Amino acid sequence: MNAVPQQIAPPGEVAHAIRARGLTRRFGHVTAVDGIDLDIPRARIYGFLGPNGSGKSTTIRMLCGLLQPSAGTVDVLGHEMPRDAEQLRTRLGYMTQKFSLWDDLTVSENLQFMGQVFGLPAQRRRARVAVVVQEFDLASLFKQRAGTLSGGQRQRLALAAATLHEPELLLLDEPTSAVDPQSRRDFWESLFDLVARGVTILVSTHYMDEAERCHELAILASGRIVAQGPPQQLMSEIPAAVVEVEAADTVAARRALVQDESVLSVAQLGTRLHVLIDPATPEPENRVLQRLRAASVAAQSTLVRASLEDVFVAATGFGRAAGARPQD
Amino acid sequence: MLLRLFAITCKEVRQLARDRLTFGMIVGIPLMQILLFGYAINFDVRDLDAAVVDEARTSHSRALIADLQATGVIVLRPPSPGLPDLRRRMESGEISVGIVIPHDFERRRLGNDRAVAQILVNGSEPMIDAVARGLASVPLPVRAGDYKSRTPVFEVRTEYNPERRTAVQIVPALIGVILNMTMVIFTAAAIVRERERGNLELLIATPIRSWELMAGKLIPYVLIGLIQTTLILTVGARIFDVPINGSLLDLYLAAALFIAATLTLGLVISTFARTQFQAFQLSFLTLLPSILLSGFMFPFDGMPPLARMIAQALPLTHFVEMIRAILLRGAPLAAMQVPAMKLGAFLVIALAIATLRFHKRLD
Ligand SMILES: Nc1ncnc2c1ncn2[C@@H]1O[C@H](COP(=O)(O)OP(=O)(O)O)[C@@H](O)[C@H]1O
Ligand SMILES: [Mg+2]
């Protein structure tokens, strides 16, 4: 058996890391993933943004060959999945949504074990463990059992274990869901370091701020990709005008606005309202003010740049029809 | 690749050593079971309630009754006027042993053909049967001028339960029952636990092969099984005087084969169970027929054909046969090719089912 993982992609290999066409997965009556197409370039961070149950985990599991697609094709690093899954094992790193290293083993034992399972020879294993311990700041936790680590520490350990064998492609399923903001920032620094070395990263999240950091993004809802592209592009090409409203009585303001047929959705952000309006509407901020004045609600309004959250709301049918059809 | 196999085994041993509860069960379950089973069927019973029907009323009959009482095994309650009364008292549970000395006692004593007296025992209580057999070996009191009698003194009649069981038969088979119980549950739980905790999802995304994962997990349990065998055997020999007539090597080889077979059964169960609780339930589902049909408690003779067929498919059946032969009759392993091959066949088939069913997939 070949114990030396391939570090360099064979010459002439395709430029994309992952390509999927019509990828579908059904569980009984539930269609968890519904005909998605993906083109994920190499050495980029690609994000899956979507609420719980939108099919992020199921898609990632199909991409790393753990689930059989019900329909569609997947190509990962030039190999057909799940057929070639075993051949690709040493070139992929997978971080499960739930922490799944061993609670009753220490940080050091967990890393040693993963190194052995990935078939790293003793010398390289020692060297790599030393490197990831340094990289992910695990030295002080080396002899501590994984079960006693905090959320952020666990996540560092999990990423260390997933990168121990220097994979070309990292699949990270909601890696920051149980982590404090500072740890999340540090974690993303680590991801950019990895990308700088040529690693491709697919990361799923339900945090908008994280999604905004990705090079490219797919927004998932009910198993479908409802929007796809670089975050900046998604925000600038949003099919709606975004008006921010500041009102003393937000409840009354909201009630007044939803009655306007050109208002697509109203979302509250603290004391402000984000109002998405039909882009065909002339001077949308004035239209909003008129509406509010008619309902005798005192307010100020400004036309603003769309946030990713607005993109998400727009892509999912403005909260009216859940799981709207893709917009292409 | 041996590195990966070794990695799994090492991890498993480490986790076992840190899991006090499981570790305690490895030693605790066999000890508790052998003591419970062993004492419940111990020969060494004393002070059983007994009553006598003495129809002869001679000095010899009185001397015999006094000798029986002197053994300490029975305590005599007031005598019964006749057999019907004795039976009634036994049925009501007032007495466990009845002694009947017939009116022709003197003539039987001098003759050579018939037992001179009867011991009636309540066979529904298993240990009493063995007690009666012990009592029956009390010799006739010999006085000057008496003829030496060659007749059996007592005829023992076991009422309600004609089959006989002894600790000597049960303890060797108990090794099998205890191994069966712990091995199946431990392996099934060891794999299902990792599935439940999500470890398995991580493991199957690595280059590890299914057989490496399975074999690596089984190896520590083979050792644990052999430790348990030693424990039960030691307690059986020390406390319950179970003879070890055959070779120890043969015994351990047979035990290792049986352990491997039960471990693969555990593997098969682990491919069906989604939770540890399901794994426990399925394990018990296989344990019950094993205990009832393997010949551990009930002889095959009385079983309907279907039960015998099921018994053939159970590893415990063949192990009970082998271990009784080795321990009690001192038979060599070479003489037990048929049960050994049946165990081997079970192992191969179960292993094939487990590997076919275990995919490195989540669906
Ligand atoms: N093994 C499974 N069996 C049945 N349904 C499943 C299974 N895994 C996921 N699902 C369903 O598929 C849908 C998508 O789930 P998932 O991929 O976990 O979403 P996400 O990761 O985005 O939260 C959900 O409705 C979920 O209930
Ligand atoms: Mg998920």
Side-chain angles (χ1 to χ4, degrees), chain A residues 25 66 94 98 102 104, chain B residues 18 194 197 201 362-363:
Chain A
R25 172 70 205 209
L66 298 182
Y94 172 44
K98 185 170 163 281
W102 288 264
D104 43 4
Chain B
R18 283 173 195 176
E194 297 218 314
R197 293 185 186 166
E201 180 168 356
L362 293 170
D363 47 4

Side-chain angles (χ1 to χ4, degrees), chain A residues 25-28 30-33 50-61 67 97 173-174 204 206 220 222-223, chain B residues 362-363:
Chain A
R25 172 70 205 209
R26 283 180 282 269
F27 295 106
V30 181
T31 305
V33 176
N52 286 333
S54 56
K56 303 182 297 292
S57 297
T58 306
T59 307
I60 291 179
R61 285 169 172 158
L67 278 177
Q97 179 169 357
D173 195 0
E174 291 193 30
S204 76
H206 53 243
L220 275 85
S222 308
Chain B
L362 293 170
D363 47 4

Side-chain angles (χ1 to χ4, degrees), chain A residues 12-28:
Chain A
E13 199 164 325
V14 277
H16 66 265
I18 296 175
R19 169 171 289 166
R21 290 292 173 268
L23 189 59
T24 301
R25 172 70 205 209
R26 283 180 282 269
F27 295 106

Side-chain angles (χ1 to χ4, degrees), chain B residues 43 48 68 73 97 119-121 123 126-139 154-159 161-166:
Chain B
F43 289 117
L48 291 175
L68 288 176
V73 173
V97 178
I119 293 178
L120 302 177
V121 293
M127 72 281 193
I128 294 178
D129 179 54
V131 171
R133 275 161 223 286
L135 275 181
S137 63
V138 171
F154 286 101
E155 171 200 9
V156 179
R157 288 185 46 185
T158 312
E159 309 222 324
N161 182 4
E163 98 245 8
R164 294 155 43 208
R165 312 172 204 153
T166 67

